[in-house]
């Protein structure tokens, strides 16, 4: 049972896929920092490749992506990505083992299956791969049988599809029309070709969306056998994401309705047997993500909740973010400048932040709260946060006892806001972030 306290959700907060968040990135970080970090890297490392293109652009999307209708531009982008793979691989420390590779975007399946295989070949050639787990984000509207077969041959076993809603009117309202039959066909092809964990991205808070529409989408998702479900609240911020201007914002659910939708989704999915993962993800029992929840090994990185234990994540591609224990770094976002840097064999790091010891300490607390619902606090952090936590502890949403901060089951929708109590950068966040529900 979740109680709605609007006053606790007034201030927008980050999603905390890192700490410090990308909003704190600055220009003082560059190629030399990344070069040194690559050479220092040891042990298990994960890779993320950003494919910065989509065949069809959705109006709600805040990703750094563009339409794939310029063949030459796409070819140049892929050339640059190949170059980045090569010059990164050669700089990596000798004891590195790459055990996970994720393709995201954009829509990786906007490139041809042949181009995908070429990227896989380049990774095999230039990176120290140790039987990695392959995962990919897919657009079901443009997924072909050829693509699925190639994934099967490569051994991709984790896939995530952008579905958002099954309701045709809502799909039209957000500029992403994809009939049920198209999604069902994609699921069939993926299962036939070896995808063993399939995630559906869904959204609530869409213009004109009702609880009945959300229920229908969730029931259909369950019926199609999704192993994982991410249920995000749509953030309507056309001042930050110009393509959202095409969405009619006059009919958006208000904060109370959004809260009711998040609570409804949580109830429906957990009643259907899904294990809650953090505050907005769900996994079937037996899925590795549910296993990570049960074993207390769930983590959070730029890709969201994850069972990945690697401390280093290399981001390749324009705008991709890399994470080292003491450094967060983002590649050049502009595709033209990204290509230009790679044409000169320069690592395309553009900005980022060094993670101080204090950042790392606070980041560990924030990650633990979001992943495990509890965190052990140093005496000074407990003292510092006591006043900010009081609105939550007084309402029974969290408990602070002998340095252990625990979020109560009813406090889950406030988890991000509670986590923000430990974020010293977060004093002026009104414009930049989304609502916590
Ligand atoms: S939602 Fe996915 S398919 Fe749509 S524009 Fe964004 S990245 Fe591309």
């Amino acid at each position: 049972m979740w109680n709605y306290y609007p006053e606790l959700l007034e201030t927008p907060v980050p999603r905390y896929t890192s700490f410090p968040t990308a909003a704190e990135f600055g220009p003082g970080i560059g190629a030399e920092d990344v070069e040194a970090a690559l050479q220092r890297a040891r042990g298990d490392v994960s890779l993320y490749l950003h494919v910065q293109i989509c065949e069809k652009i959705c109006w709600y999307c805040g990703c750094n992506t563009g339409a794939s209708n310029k063949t030459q531009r796409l070819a140049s982008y892929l050339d640059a990505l190949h170059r980045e793979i090569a010059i990164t691989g050669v700089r990596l420390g000798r004891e590195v083992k790459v055990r996970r590779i994720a393709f995201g975007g954009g829509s990786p399946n906007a490139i041809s299956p042949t181009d995908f295989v070429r990227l896989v070949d380049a990774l095999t050639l230039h990176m120290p791969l140790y039987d990695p787990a392959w995962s990919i984000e897919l657009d079901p509207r443009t997924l072909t049988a050829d693509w699925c077969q190639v994934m099967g041959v490569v051994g991709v076993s984790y896939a995530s599809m952008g579905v958002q809603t099954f309701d045709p009117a809502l799909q039209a309202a957000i500029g992403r029309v994809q009939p049920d039959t198209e999604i069902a066909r994609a699921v069939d092809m993926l299962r036939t070709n070896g995808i063993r964990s399939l995630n559906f991205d869904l959204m609530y808070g869409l213009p004109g969306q009702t609880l009945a529409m959300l229920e229908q989408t969730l029931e259909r998702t369950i019926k199609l056998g999704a192993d994982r479900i991410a249920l995000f609240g749509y953030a309507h911020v056309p001042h930050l994401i110009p393509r959202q201007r095409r969405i009619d914002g006059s009919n958006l659910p208000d904060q109370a309705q959004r809260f009711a939708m998040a609570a409804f989704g949580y109830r429906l999915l957990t009643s259907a047997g899904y294990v809650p993962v953090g505050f907005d993800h769900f996994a079937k029992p037996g899925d590795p993500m549910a296993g990570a929840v049960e074993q207390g090994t769930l983590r959070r990185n730029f890709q969201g909740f994850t069972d990945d234990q690697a401390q280093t994540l290399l981001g390749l591609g324009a705008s991709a973010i890399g994470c080292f224990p003491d450094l967060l770094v983002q590649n050049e976002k502009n595709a033209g400048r990204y290509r230009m840097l790679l044409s000169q064999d320069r690592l395309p790091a553009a900005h980022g932040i060094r993670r101080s010891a204090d950042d790392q300490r606070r980041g560990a607390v924030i990650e633990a709260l979001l992943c495990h619902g509890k965190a052990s606090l140093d005496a000074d952090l407990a003292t510092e946060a006591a006043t900010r936590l009081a609105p939550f502890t007084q309402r029974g949403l969290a408990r602070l006892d002998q340095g252990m901060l625990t979020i109560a089951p009813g406090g889950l929708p406030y988890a991000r806001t509670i986590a923000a109590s430990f974020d010293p950068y977060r004093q002026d966040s009104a414009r930049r972030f989304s609502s916590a529900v």
Side-chain angles (χ1 to χ4, degrees), residues 82-322:
H82 275 265
R83 206 61 221 133
E84 190 184 5
I85 292 169
I87 67 172
T88 302
V90 86
R91 287 164 169 79
L92 265 178
R94 289 212 182 144
E95 291 163 40
V96 164
K97 296 181 176 176
V98 173
R99 296 199 191 269
R100 290 193 188 224
I101 301 175
F103 286 81
S107 311
N109 60 310
I111 64 174
S112 72
T114 310
D115 283 334
F116 175 63
V117 171
R118 286 193 183 122
L119 286 172
V120 170
D121 285 348
L123 291 166
T124 309
L125 188 64
H126 297 292
M127 294 285 180
L129 306 192
Y130 280 73
D131 190 20
W134 300 83
S135 63
I136 192 162
E137 293 171 11
L138 297 167
D139 181 348
R141 295 172 296 179
T142 52
L143 189 61
T144 61
D146 288 357
W147 241 102
C148 291
Q149 280 166 12
V150 163
M151 283 190 280
V153 172
V154 168
V156 178
S157 47
Y158 298 86
S160 177
M161 290 201 306
V163 174
Q164 318 312 348
T165 173
F166 281 91
D167 187 275
L170 287 183
Q171 290 182 0
I174 60 172
R176 185 176 180 124
V177 174
Q178 47 186 16
D180 185 315
T181 47
E182 212 164 70
I183 299 166
R185 181 173 167 273
V187 171
D188 277 351
M189 291 192 297
L190 291 168
R191 294 300 193 193
T192 309
N193 287 284
I195 295 298
R196 66 168 200 264
S197 181
L198 179 57
N199 175 73
F200 278 37
D201 279 349
L202 304 176
M203 285 200 296
Y204 65 85
L206 297 172
Q209 191 177 28
T210 62
L211 279 181
M213 290 170 172
L214 180 61
E215 180 176 17
Q216 185 262 342
T217 285
L218 293 171
E219 295 289 5
R220 184 68 183 133
T221 300
I222 296 168
K223 191 135 191 246
L224 285 171
D227 301 288
R228 301 178 185 179
I229 298 169
L231 181 58
F232 299 116
Y234 167 58
H236 190 63
V237 283
H239 57 287
L240 298 177
I241 304 173
R243 56 174 79 114
Q244 288 187 350
R245 291 190 195 124
R246 300 183 70 178
I247 295 178
D248 178 4
S250 64
N251 201 14
L252 288 165
D254 63 20
Q255 182 75 261
Q257 290 168 318
R258 289 171 64 91
F259 187 91
M261 286 181 182
F264 178 82
Y266 185 89
R267 231 175 16 248
L268 190 151
L269 292 172
T270 51
S271 303
Y274 281 83
V275 174
V277 179
F279 50 87
D280 57 6
H281 283 52
F282 303 84
K284 266 188 180 169
D287 185 273
M289 195 77 94
V293 172
E294 278 150 23
Q295 290 153 22
T297 55
L298 186 70
R299 297 200 49 223
R300 191 150 173 84
N301 67 16
F302 288 110
Q303 291 157 267
F305 288 107
T306 178
D307 58 335
D308 186 0
Q309 303 303 308
Q311 295 297 319
T312 299
L313 172 68
L314 305 183
L316 305 170
S319 79
I321 298 179

Side-chain angles (χ1 to χ4, degrees), residues 54 56-58 60-61 63 65 106-107 139 141 176:
C54 297
K56 303 176 184 178
I57 299 293
C58 314
Y60 58 85
C61 177
C63 294
T65 188
S107 311
D139 181 348
R141 295 172 296 179
R176 185 176 180 124

